[in-house]
Amino acid sequence: MTDRQNISIRITDLAPIPLEIYRADEEVYRMAERHVNHMYAEYHQRYKGRSPRELMAMVAFQFAKLYFRGQSTAEKATELLQRLDTELDALLSAQATPSLGDQP
């Protein structure tokens, strides 16, 4: 059995898009498909008179904004974890090193 599979996703009223993906990733692809279509439908209702191309550009921009916000958050979290790791190492090193007052 292969760990890859073929699926088709449908974005708005466009033709299905065939994809070959890892089986473990199918849920992510389906979720992305649902969210893009949901956001497109919301924009279609909110911005009547806009072309499908303009609406899809707005959807793409929102997802790009979310991506970069998430990337920035992840970078900040990584920096914080590195600082905490350094501080923890320093505390553990200080405990492991006997002070002069601890000698018999």
Side-chain angles (χ1 to χ4, degrees):
M1 185 160 136
T2 179
D3 61 338
R4 296 183 68 81
Q5 69 179 11
N6 294 314
I7 66 168
S8 291
I9 61 168
R10 184 176 283 270
I11 304 296
T12 68
D13 58 351
L14 300 174
I17 302 167
L19 299 170
E20 183 179 342
I21 64 168
Y22 288 105
R23 289 183 185 281
D25 293 339
E26 183 178 6
E27 184 179 345
V28 172
Y29 281 80
R30 299 295 183 194
M31 196 176 347
E33 176 186 27
R34 279 191 303 275
H35 284 285
V36 167
N37 285 319
H38 178 77
M39 188 176 289
Y40 182 89
E42 282 187 5
Y43 284 172
H44 184 54
Q45 289 295 316
R46 189 181 309 165
Y47 301 106
K48 294 185 186 298
R50 297 284 182 114
S51 73
R53 187 175 176 165
E54 288 176 301
L55 296 172
M56 194 53 69
M58 293 164 68
V59 170
F61 179 78
Q62 286 300 321
F63 277 99
K65 188 172 74 173
L66 288 170
Y67 171 80
F68 286 108
R69 184 177 288 150
Q71 188 177 38
S72 174
T73 300
E75 287 171 2
K76 289 176 185 173
T78 298
E79 290 171 8
L80 176 62
L81 288 172
Q82 287 172 342
R83 278 199 319 268
L84 290 173
D85 187 49
T86 301
E87 289 178 23
L88 182 59
D89 283 345
L91 287 171
L92 291 174
S93 292
Q95 279 187 339
T97 307
S99 68
L100 294 176
D102 292 341
Q103 294 179 355

